[in-house]
């Protein structure tokens, strides 16, 4: 018998799961923003350019500027949030399964401050939505895992 069920429901473990969920949610929000802006440009700019031919150069310049900005900044923000979320999930798993951290594969261990920051709102609010979120991450692995 192991301690998986006990460890996975400790405050530090729940915080890690809430933090990674929050980060993945934020990454998805950035992805939707990027897609929305790109789709808006793809639909609106040709229509405006056709209606007002003198604006075609400026619209192309704005679109090019957005895509450069998207590639440099928004893509980086989205990727960094997903990367940190994956590292936090890895930290949770190594803790729950009592495995050593593999720095070669996973890089540096995520800071506890990051986990604290991204789990703070969800962990301390006393609303129905937060209780639902906490309940969703409790018993992350089934109870049968403790018999492994």
């Amino acid at each position: 018998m192991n301690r998986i069920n006990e460890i996975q429901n400790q405050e530090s473990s729940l915080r890690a799961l809430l933090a990674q969920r929050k980060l993945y949610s934020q990454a998805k929000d950035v992805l939707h923003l990027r897609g929305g802006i790109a789709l808006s440009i793809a639909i609106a700019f040709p229509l405006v350019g056709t209606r007002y031919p003198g604006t075609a150069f400026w619209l192309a310049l704005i679109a090019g500027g957005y895509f450069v900005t998207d590639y440099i900044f928004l893509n980086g923000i989205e990727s960094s949030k997903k990367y940190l979320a994956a590292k936090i999930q890895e930290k949770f798993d190594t803790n729950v399964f009592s495995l050593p951290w593999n720095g070669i594969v996973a890089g540096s261990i995520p800071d506890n401050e990051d986990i604290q920051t991204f789990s703070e709102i969800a962990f301390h609010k006393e609303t129905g939505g937060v209780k639902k979120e906490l309940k969703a991450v409790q018993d992350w692995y089934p109870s049968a895992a403790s018999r492994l």
Side-chain angles (χ1 to χ4, degrees):
M1 190 91 156
N2 58 48
R3 297 180 52 222
I4 291 172
N5 289 336
E6 177 188 338
I7 296 170
Q8 74 177 343
N9 289 314
Q10 291 175 345
E11 181 179 335
S12 61
S13 298
L14 294 173
R15 281 186 176 279
L17 290 172
L18 288 171
Q20 63 95 9
R21 285 173 67 117
K22 180 71 170 176
L23 284 159
Y24 279 128
S25 176
Q26 289 178 350
K28 189 166 54 169
D29 290 345
V30 172
L31 175 66
H32 290 150
L33 174 69
R34 293 175 64 208
I37 293 171
L39 186 60
S40 297
I41 288 172
I43 292 171
F45 282 21
L47 295 173
V48 172
T50 302
R51 177 84 168 121
Y52 304 101
T55 63
F57 171 77
W58 296 108
L59 293 173
L61 191 64
I62 292 168
Y66 166 73
F67 288 116
V68 168
T69 302
D70 175 71
Y71 183 76
I72 293 172
F73 296 108
L74 295 178
N75 184 45
I77 292 168
E78 180 188 345
S79 295
S80 67
K81 288 187 180 296
K82 288 193 285 189
Y83 182 71
L84 181 56
K87 285 175 62 168
I88 290 172
Q89 178 69 45
E90 181 77 10
K91 183 175 182 175
F92 169 81
D93 288 336
T94 57
N95 182 42
V96 168
F97 293 113
S98 301
L99 298 170
W101 184 264
N102 187 339
I104 294 171
V105 173
S108 62
I109 298 173
D111 294 331
N112 287 331
E113 291 80 20
D114 288 334
I115 295 170
Q116 181 79 14
T117 299
F118 290 105
S119 70
E120 195 67 30
I121 296 168
F123 203 84
H124 286 293
K125 278 190 177 174
E126 293 297 327
T127 64
V130 172
K131 287 180 184 175
K132 182 179 173 186
E133 191 172 348
L134 265 174
K135 190 169 178 79
V137 296
Q138 288 177 330
D139 297 321
W140 187 259
Y141 292 111
S143 59
S146 67
R147 294 189 299 269
L148 296 175

Short mmCIF file of all heavy atoms in Angstrom, two decimals, residues 60-117:
data_model
loop_
_atom_site.label_atom_id
_atom_site.label_comp_id
_atom_site.label_asym_id
_atom_site.label_seq_id
_atom_site.Cartn_x
_atom_site.Cartn_y
_atom_site.Cartn_z
N ALA A 60 -2.59 46.11 -45.13
CA ALA A 60 -1.55 45.08 -45.22
C ALA A 60 -0.45 45.34 -44.20
O ALA A 60 0.07 44.40 -43.57
CB ALA A 60 -0.98 45.03 -46.63
N LEU A 61 -0.09 46.58 -44.01
CA LEU A 61 0.94 46.95 -43.04
C LEU A 61 0.47 46.62 -41.62
O LEU A 61 1.22 46.05 -40.82
CB LEU A 61 1.26 48.45 -43.17
CG LEU A 61 2.48 48.93 -42.40
CD1 LEU A 61 3.75 48.28 -42.92
CD2 LEU A 61 2.58 50.45 -42.52
N ILE A 62 -0.78 46.95 -41.30
CA ILE A 62 -1.33 46.64 -39.98
C ILE A 62 -1.39 45.13 -39.77
O ILE A 62 -1.01 44.62 -38.71
CB ILE A 62 -2.73 47.28 -39.81
CG1 ILE A 62 -2.62 48.80 -39.76
CG2 ILE A 62 -3.43 46.75 -38.57
CD1 ILE A 62 -3.95 49.53 -39.89
N ALA A 63 -1.86 44.41 -40.78
CA ALA A 63 -1.95 42.95 -40.67
C ALA A 63 -0.57 42.33 -40.48
O ALA A 63 -0.37 41.46 -39.62
CB ALA A 63 -2.62 42.36 -41.91
N GLY A 64 0.40 42.79 -41.25
CA GLY A 64 1.77 42.29 -41.09
C GLY A 64 2.32 42.60 -39.72
O GLY A 64 2.98 41.76 -39.09
N GLY A 65 2.05 43.81 -39.24
CA GLY A 65 2.50 44.19 -37.90
C GLY A 65 1.87 43.32 -36.82
O GLY A 65 2.53 42.90 -35.87
N TYR A 66 0.57 43.04 -36.99
CA TYR A 66 -0.08 42.17 -36.02
C TYR A 66 0.53 40.78 -36.03
O TYR A 66 0.82 40.20 -34.98
CB TYR A 66 -1.60 42.05 -36.25
CG TYR A 66 -2.14 40.90 -35.44
CD1 TYR A 66 -2.25 41.02 -34.06
CD2 TYR A 66 -2.43 39.67 -36.02
CE1 TYR A 66 -2.67 39.95 -33.29
CE2 TYR A 66 -2.85 38.60 -35.26
CZ TYR A 66 -2.97 38.74 -33.90
OH TYR A 66 -3.36 37.68 -33.14
N PHE A 67 0.75 40.21 -37.20
CA PHE A 67 1.27 38.85 -37.26
C PHE A 67 2.69 38.75 -36.70
O PHE A 67 3.04 37.75 -36.08
CB PHE A 67 1.15 38.28 -38.67
CG PHE A 67 -0.27 37.98 -39.02
CD1 PHE A 67 -0.91 38.65 -40.04
CD2 PHE A 67 -1.01 37.05 -38.30
CE1 PHE A 67 -2.23 38.40 -40.35
CE2 PHE A 67 -2.33 36.79 -38.59
CZ PHE A 67 -2.95 37.47 -39.63
N VAL A 68 3.48 39.79 -36.88
CA VAL A 68 4.81 39.81 -36.26
C VAL A 68 4.66 39.88 -34.74
O VAL A 68 5.31 39.14 -33.99
CB VAL A 68 5.66 40.98 -36.80
CG1 VAL A 68 6.91 41.18 -35.97
CG2 VAL A 68 6.02 40.73 -38.27
N THR A 69 3.79 40.76 -34.28
CA THR A 69 3.53 40.90 -32.84
C THR A 69 2.99 39.60 -32.27
O THR A 69 3.40 39.16 -31.19
CB THR A 69 2.53 42.05 -32.58
OG1 THR A 69 3.07 43.25 -33.11
CG2 THR A 69 2.25 42.21 -31.11
N ASP A 70 2.07 38.99 -32.99
CA ASP A 70 1.50 37.72 -32.56
C ASP A 70 2.58 36.66 -32.42
O ASP A 70 2.64 35.96 -31.41
CB ASP A 70 0.44 37.25 -33.57
CG ASP A 70 -0.10 35.87 -33.23
OD1 ASP A 70 -0.83 35.75 -32.24
OD2 ASP A 70 0.22 34.92 -33.97
N TYR A 71 3.44 36.57 -33.41
CA TYR A 71 4.48 35.54 -33.40
C TYR A 71 5.48 35.79 -32.28
O TYR A 71 5.88 34.85 -31.59
CB TYR A 71 5.19 35.48 -34.75
CG TYR A 71 6.22 34.40 -34.81
CD1 TYR A 71 5.83 33.07 -34.96
CD2 TYR A 71 7.57 34.69 -34.71
CE1 TYR A 71 6.78 32.06 -34.99
CE2 TYR A 71 8.52 33.68 -34.75
CZ TYR A 71 8.11 32.37 -34.89
OH TYR A 71 9.04 31.38 -34.91
N ILE A 72 5.87 37.03 -32.08
CA ILE A 72 6.89 37.33 -31.09
C ILE A 72 6.34 37.33 -29.67
O ILE A 72 6.94 36.74 -28.77
CB ILE A 72 7.56 38.69 -31.39
CG1 ILE A 72 8.36 38.60 -32.69
CG2 ILE A 72 8.46 39.13 -30.25
CD1 ILE A 72 8.89 39.92 -33.18
N PHE A 73 5.19 37.97 -29.44
CA PHE A 73 4.71 38.17 -28.08
C PHE A 73 3.60 37.19 -27.68
O PHE A 73 3.75 36.46 -26.70
CB PHE A 73 4.23 39.61 -27.88
CG PHE A 73 5.32 40.61 -28.02
CD1 PHE A 73 5.38 41.43 -29.12
CD2 PHE A 73 6.30 40.73 -27.05
CE1 PHE A 73 6.40 42.35 -29.26
CE2 PHE A 73 7.32 41.64 -27.17
CZ PHE A 73 7.37 42.46 -28.29
N LEU A 74 2.50 37.19 -28.38
CA LEU A 74 1.36 36.39 -27.94
C LEU A 74 1.66 34.89 -27.98
O LEU A 74 1.28 34.16 -27.07
CB LEU A 74 0.12 36.72 -28.78
CG LEU A 74 -0.42 38.15 -28.62
CD1 LEU A 74 -1.60 38.38 -29.54
CD2 LEU A 74 -0.78 38.43 -27.18
N ASN A 75 2.34 34.44 -29.01
CA ASN A 75 2.73 33.04 -29.09
C ASN A 75 3.65 32.68 -27.92
O ASN A 75 3.52 31.62 -27.32
CB ASN A 75 3.40 32.74 -30.43
CG ASN A 75 3.74 31.28 -30.59
OD1 ASN A 75 2.93 30.41 -30.30
ND2 ASN A 75 4.95 31.00 -31.04
N GLY A 76 4.56 33.60 -27.59
CA GLY A 76 5.46 33.36 -26.47
C GLY A 76 4.74 33.30 -25.14
O GLY A 76 5.06 32.46 -24.28
N ILE A 77 3.77 34.17 -24.95
CA ILE A 77 2.98 34.16 -23.71
C ILE A 77 2.22 32.84 -23.59
O ILE A 77 2.24 32.19 -22.54
CB ILE A 77 2.01 35.36 -23.67
CG1 ILE A 77 2.79 36.66 -23.52
CG2 ILE A 77 1.00 35.20 -22.54
CD1 ILE A 77 1.96 37.91 -23.74
N GLU A 78 1.56 32.45 -24.67
CA GLU A 78 0.81 31.19 -24.65
C GLU A 78 1.73 30.00 -24.36
O GLU A 78 1.43 29.15 -23.52
CB GLU A 78 0.11 31.00 -25.99
CG GLU A 78 -0.69 29.73 -26.08
CD GLU A 78 -1.22 29.46 -27.48
OE1 GLU A 78 -1.22 30.37 -28.34
OE2 GLU A 78 -1.64 28.32 -27.72
N SER A 79 2.86 29.95 -25.06
CA SER A 79 3.79 28.84 -24.88
C SER A 79 4.37 28.79 -23.46
O SER A 79 4.50 27.71 -22.88
CB SER A 79 4.94 28.94 -25.88
OG SER A 79 4.45 28.77 -27.18
N SER A 80 4.70 29.95 -22.91
CA SER A 80 5.30 29.96 -21.57
C SER A 80 4.28 29.50 -20.52
O SER A 80 4.65 28.82 -19.56
CB SER A 80 5.86 31.33 -21.22
OG SER A 80 4.83 32.28 -21.09
N LYS A 81 3.03 29.85 -20.69
CA LYS A 81 2.00 29.40 -19.75
C LYS A 81 1.81 27.88 -19.84
O LYS A 81 1.71 27.19 -18.82
CB LYS A 81 0.69 30.13 -19.99
CG LYS A 81 0.74 31.58 -19.54
CD LYS A 81 -0.59 32.26 -19.63
CE LYS A 81 -0.51 33.69 -19.17
NZ LYS A 81 -0.15 33.86 -17.76
N LYS A 82 1.79 27.34 -21.05
CA LYS A 82 1.65 25.88 -21.21
C LYS A 82 2.87 25.15 -20.66
O LYS A 82 2.74 24.10 -20.03
CB LYS A 82 1.42 25.53 -22.68
CG LYS A 82 0.06 25.91 -23.18
CD LYS A 82 -0.29 25.30 -24.50
CE LYS A 82 0.42 25.94 -25.64
NZ LYS A 82 -0.06 25.49 -26.96
N TYR A 83 4.05 25.71 -20.88
CA TYR A 83 5.29 25.10 -20.40
C TYR A 83 5.31 25.05 -18.88
O TYR A 83 5.63 24.02 -18.28
CB TYR A 83 6.49 25.87 -20.95
CG TYR A 83 7.82 25.31 -20.56
CD1 TYR A 83 8.29 24.11 -21.08
CD2 TYR A 83 8.64 25.99 -19.66
CE1 TYR A 83 9.51 23.59 -20.72
CE2 TYR A 83 9.87 25.48 -19.29
CZ TYR A 83 10.30 24.28 -19.83
OH TYR A 83 11.51 23.77 -19.45
N LEU A 84 4.96 26.18 -18.23
CA LEU A 84 4.94 26.21 -16.77
C LEU A 84 3.86 25.27 -16.23
O LEU A 84 4.08 24.57 -15.24
CB LEU A 84 4.72 27.64 -16.27
CG LEU A 84 4.68 27.83 -14.76
CD1 LEU A 84 5.96 27.29 -14.09
CD2 LEU A 84 4.48 29.30 -14.42
N ALA A 85 2.71 25.22 -16.87
CA ALA A 85 1.65 24.31 -16.44
C ALA A 85 2.11 22.85 -16.51
O ALA A 85 1.85 22.06 -15.59
CB ALA A 85 0.39 24.51 -17.29
N ALA A 86 2.80 22.50 -17.57
CA ALA A 86 3.30 21.12 -17.71
C ALA A 86 4.34 20.80 -16.64
O ALA A 86 4.36 19.69 -16.09
CB ALA A 86 3.89 20.93 -19.11
N LYS A 87 5.20 21.77 -16.32
CA LYS A 87 6.20 21.56 -15.27
C LYS A 87 5.54 21.41 -13.90
O LYS A 87 5.98 20.60 -13.08
CB LYS A 87 7.21 22.71 -15.25
CG LYS A 87 8.19 22.65 -16.41
CD LYS A 87 9.11 23.83 -16.47
CE LYS A 87 9.98 23.97 -15.27
NZ LYS A 87 11.06 24.94 -15.42
N ILE A 88 4.48 22.17 -13.66
CA ILE A 88 3.78 22.05 -12.39
C ILE A 88 3.09 20.69 -12.30
O ILE A 88 3.10 20.05 -11.25
CB ILE A 88 2.78 23.22 -12.20
CG1 ILE A 88 3.57 24.52 -11.97
CG2 ILE A 88 1.83 22.95 -11.05
CD1 ILE A 88 2.72 25.77 -11.97
N GLN A 89 2.52 20.22 -13.39
CA GLN A 89 1.92 18.88 -13.41
C GLN A 89 2.99 17.82 -13.15
O GLN A 89 2.76 16.87 -12.41
CB GLN A 89 1.23 18.61 -14.75
CG GLN A 89 0.62 17.22 -14.86
CD GLN A 89 -0.58 17.02 -13.97
OE1 GLN A 89 -1.44 17.88 -13.90
NE2 GLN A 89 -0.65 15.89 -13.28
N GLU A 90 4.16 18.01 -13.73
CA GLU A 90 5.27 17.09 -13.51
C GLU A 90 5.68 17.09 -12.04
O GLU A 90 5.95 16.04 -11.45
CB GLU A 90 6.47 17.49 -14.39
CG GLU A 90 7.67 16.59 -14.27
CD GLU A 90 7.53 15.27 -14.99
OE1 GLU A 90 6.58 15.09 -15.77
OE2 GLU A 90 8.38 14.40 -14.78
N LYS A 91 5.71 18.28 -11.43
CA LYS A 91 6.05 18.37 -10.01
C LYS A 91 5.02 17.63 -9.17
O LYS A 91 5.36 16.92 -8.23
CB LYS A 91 6.15 19.84 -9.58
CG LYS A 91 6.57 20.01 -8.14
CD LYS A 91 6.78 21.47 -7.78
CE LYS A 91 7.24 21.58 -6.33
NZ LYS A 91 7.58 22.94 -5.96
N PHE A 92 3.74 17.81 -9.50
CA PHE A 92 2.67 17.09 -8.80
C PHE A 92 2.89 15.58 -8.91
O PHE A 92 2.86 14.86 -7.92
CB PHE A 92 1.31 17.48 -9.38
CG PHE A 92 0.17 16.61 -8.92
CD1 PHE A 92 -0.43 16.82 -7.69
CD2 PHE A 92 -0.30 15.58 -9.72
CE1 PHE A 92 -1.48 16.02 -7.26
CE2 PHE A 92 -1.35 14.77 -9.30
CZ PHE A 92 -1.93 15.00 -8.07
N ASP A 93 3.11 15.10 -10.12
CA ASP A 93 3.27 13.66 -10.35
C ASP A 93 4.50 13.09 -9.62
O ASP A 93 4.42 12.02 -9.02
CB ASP A 93 3.35 13.35 -11.84
CG ASP A 93 2.02 13.50 -12.54
OD1 ASP A 93 0.96 13.40 -11.87
OD2 ASP A 93 2.02 13.73 -13.77
N THR A 94 5.62 13.80 -9.70
CA THR A 94 6.82 13.30 -9.02
C THR A 94 6.62 13.27 -7.51
O THR A 94 7.12 12.36 -6.84
CB THR A 94 8.07 14.13 -9.38
OG1 THR A 94 7.85 15.49 -9.05
CG2 THR A 94 8.43 13.98 -10.84
N ASN A 95 5.87 14.23 -7.00
CA ASN A 95 5.60 14.25 -5.56
C ASN A 95 4.66 13.11 -5.17
O ASN A 95 4.93 12.37 -4.23
CB ASN A 95 4.99 15.61 -5.16
CG ASN A 95 4.73 15.71 -3.68
OD1 ASN A 95 5.55 15.29 -2.87
ND2 ASN A 95 3.61 16.27 -3.32
N VAL A 96 3.58 12.96 -5.89
CA VAL A 96 2.57 11.94 -5.57
C VAL A 96 3.14 10.53 -5.70
O VAL A 96 2.90 9.66 -4.87
CB VAL A 96 1.31 12.11 -6.45
CG1 VAL A 96 0.38 10.91 -6.34
CG2 VAL A 96 0.57 13.38 -6.06
N PHE A 97 3.93 10.30 -6.73
CA PHE A 97 4.48 8.96 -6.97
C PHE A 97 5.86 8.75 -6.38
O PHE A 97 6.51 7.73 -6.63
CB PHE A 97 4.50 8.65 -8.48
CG PHE A 97 3.13 8.55 -9.07
CD1 PHE A 97 2.67 9.48 -9.98
CD2 PHE A 97 2.27 7.52 -8.71
CE1 PHE A 97 1.40 9.41 -10.53
CE2 PHE A 97 1.00 7.43 -9.25
CZ PHE A 97 0.56 8.36 -10.16
N SER A 98 6.34 9.75 -5.61
CA SER A 98 7.65 9.67 -4.95
C SER A 98 8.76 9.36 -5.95
O SER A 98 9.58 8.47 -5.74
CB SER A 98 7.63 8.63 -3.83
OG SER A 98 6.65 8.95 -2.88
N LEU A 99 8.77 10.11 -7.04
CA LEU A 99 9.79 9.95 -8.08
C LEU A 99 10.78 11.10 -7.99
O LEU A 99 10.42 12.21 -7.60
CB LEU A 99 9.13 9.96 -9.47
CG LEU A 99 8.13 8.85 -9.75
CD1 LEU A 99 7.38 9.13 -11.05
CD2 LEU A 99 8.83 7.52 -9.82
N PRO A 100 12.01 10.87 -8.41
CA PRO A 100 12.97 11.98 -8.42
C PRO A 100 12.67 12.91 -9.61
O PRO A 100 12.14 12.48 -10.63
CB PRO A 100 14.32 11.28 -8.59
CG PRO A 100 13.99 10.00 -9.29
CD PRO A 100 12.62 9.61 -8.81
N TRP A 101 13.00 14.16 -9.45
CA TRP A 101 12.83 15.14 -10.52
C TRP A 101 13.88 14.87 -11.58
O TRP A 101 15.07 14.75 -11.28
CB TRP A 101 12.97 16.56 -9.98
CG TRP A 101 12.71 17.59 -11.03
CD1 TRP A 101 13.64 18.24 -11.79
CD2 TRP A 101 11.44 18.08 -11.45
NE1 TRP A 101 13.02 19.10 -12.65
CE2 TRP A 101 11.68 19.03 -12.47
CE3 TRP A 101 10.13 17.82 -11.08
CZ2 TRP A 101 10.65 19.70 -13.10
CZ3 TRP A 101 9.12 18.50 -11.71
CH2 TRP A 101 9.38 19.44 -12.71
N ASN A 102 13.47 14.79 -12.84
CA ASN A 102 14.40 14.58 -13.95
C ASN A 102 14.65 15.92 -14.63
O ASN A 102 13.90 16.33 -15.52
CB ASN A 102 13.83 13.56 -14.94
CG ASN A 102 14.83 13.18 -16.01
OD1 ASN A 102 15.78 13.89 -16.28
ND2 ASN A 102 14.60 12.04 -16.62
N GLY A 103 15.69 16.60 -14.21
CA GLY A 103 16.00 17.92 -14.72
C GLY A 103 16.39 17.90 -16.19
O GLY A 103 16.20 18.90 -16.90
N ILE A 104 16.92 16.80 -16.67
CA ILE A 104 17.30 16.71 -18.09
C ILE A 104 16.06 16.76 -18.97
O ILE A 104 16.04 17.43 -20.00
CB ILE A 104 18.11 15.42 -18.35
CG1 ILE A 104 19.44 15.50 -17.60
CG2 ILE A 104 18.34 15.21 -19.84
CD1 ILE A 104 20.23 14.21 -17.60
N VAL A 105 15.01 16.09 -18.57
CA VAL A 105 13.77 16.04 -19.34
C VAL A 105 12.88 17.25 -19.04
O VAL A 105 12.36 17.89 -19.95
CB VAL A 105 12.99 14.73 -19.08
CG1 VAL A 105 11.64 14.74 -19.74
CG2 VAL A 105 13.80 13.53 -19.53
N ALA A 106 12.70 17.55 -17.77
CA ALA A 106 11.72 18.55 -17.36
C ALA A 106 12.30 19.93 -17.07
O ALA A 106 11.54 20.86 -16.83
CB ALA A 106 10.97 18.05 -16.13
N GLY A 107 13.60 20.06 -17.06
CA GLY A 107 14.20 21.36 -16.75
C GLY A 107 14.17 21.62 -15.25
O GLY A 107 14.10 20.70 -14.44
N SER A 108 14.19 22.88 -14.89
CA SER A 108 14.23 23.23 -13.47
C SER A 108 12.86 23.01 -12.82
O SER A 108 11.83 23.07 -13.48
CB SER A 108 14.66 24.68 -13.31
OG SER A 108 13.72 25.53 -13.93
N ILE A 109 12.89 22.78 -11.53
CA ILE A 109 11.64 22.59 -10.77
C ILE A 109 10.93 23.94 -10.70
O ILE A 109 11.54 24.96 -10.41
CB ILE A 109 11.96 22.08 -9.35
CG1 ILE A 109 12.65 20.72 -9.42
CG2 ILE A 109 10.69 22.00 -8.51
CD1 ILE A 109 13.14 20.20 -8.09
N PRO A 110 9.62 23.97 -10.96
CA PRO A 110 8.89 25.24 -10.89
C PRO A 110 8.90 25.80 -9.47
O PRO A 110 8.89 25.05 -8.50
CB PRO A 110 7.47 24.89 -11.35
CG PRO A 110 7.36 23.43 -11.24
CD PRO A 110 8.74 22.86 -11.33
N ASP A 111 8.93 27.11 -9.37
CA ASP A 111 8.96 27.78 -8.07
C ASP A 111 7.65 27.60 -7.34
O ASP A 111 6.57 27.67 -7.94
CB ASP A 111 9.22 29.28 -8.24
CG ASP A 111 10.60 29.58 -8.79
OD1 ASP A 111 11.52 28.78 -8.53
OD2 ASP A 111 10.75 30.61 -9.46
N ASN A 112 7.76 27.42 -6.04
CA ASN A 112 6.54 27.35 -5.21
C ASN A 112 5.76 28.66 -5.27
O ASN A 112 4.55 28.65 -5.12
CB ASN A 112 6.90 27.01 -3.77
CG ASN A 112 7.32 25.56 -3.62
OD1 ASN A 112 6.87 24.70 -4.38
ND2 ASN A 112 8.18 25.29 -2.67
N GLU A 113 6.47 29.78 -5.49
CA GLU A 113 5.80 31.07 -5.60
C GLU A 113 4.86 31.11 -6.80
O GLU A 113 3.78 31.69 -6.73
CB GLU A 113 6.82 32.21 -5.69
CG GLU A 113 7.61 32.44 -4.42
CD GLU A 113 8.77 31.47 -4.24
OE1 GLU A 113 9.22 30.85 -5.24
OE2 GLU A 113 9.20 31.29 -3.10
N ASP A 114 5.27 30.49 -7.91
CA ASP A 114 4.41 30.43 -9.09
C ASP A 114 3.16 29.60 -8.79
O ASP A 114 2.04 29.99 -9.16
CB ASP A 114 5.15 29.82 -10.29
CG ASP A 114 6.19 30.75 -10.86
OD1 ASP A 114 6.05 31.98 -10.71
OD2 ASP A 114 7.16 30.25 -11.47
N ILE A 115 3.36 28.48 -8.13
CA ILE A 115 2.22 27.63 -7.78
C ILE A 115 1.29 28.40 -6.84
O ILE A 115 0.07 28.39 -7.01
CB ILE A 115 2.70 26.31 -7.15
CG1 ILE A 115 3.47 25.49 -8.19
CG2 ILE A 115 1.53 25.51 -6.58
CD1 ILE A 115 4.19 24.29 -7.64
N GLN A 116 1.87 29.06 -5.87
CA GLN A 116 1.09 29.85 -4.92
C GLN A 116 0.29 30.92 -5.65
O GLN A 116 -0.90 31.09 -5.41
CB GLN A 116 2.04 30.50 -3.90
CG GLN A 116 1.38 31.31 -2.84
CD GLN A 116 0.79 30.45 -1.74
OE1 GLN A 116 1.09 29.28 -1.62
NE2 GLN A 116 -0.09 31.03 -0.95
N THR A 117 0.94 31.65 -6.54
CA THR A 117 0.29 32.75 -7.26
C THR A 117 -0.88 32.27 -8.09
O THR A 117 -1.96 32.84 -8.04
CB THR A 117 1.32 33.46 -8.16
OG1 THR A 117 2.35 34.00 -7.34
CG2 THR A 117 0.67 34.56 -8.96
#
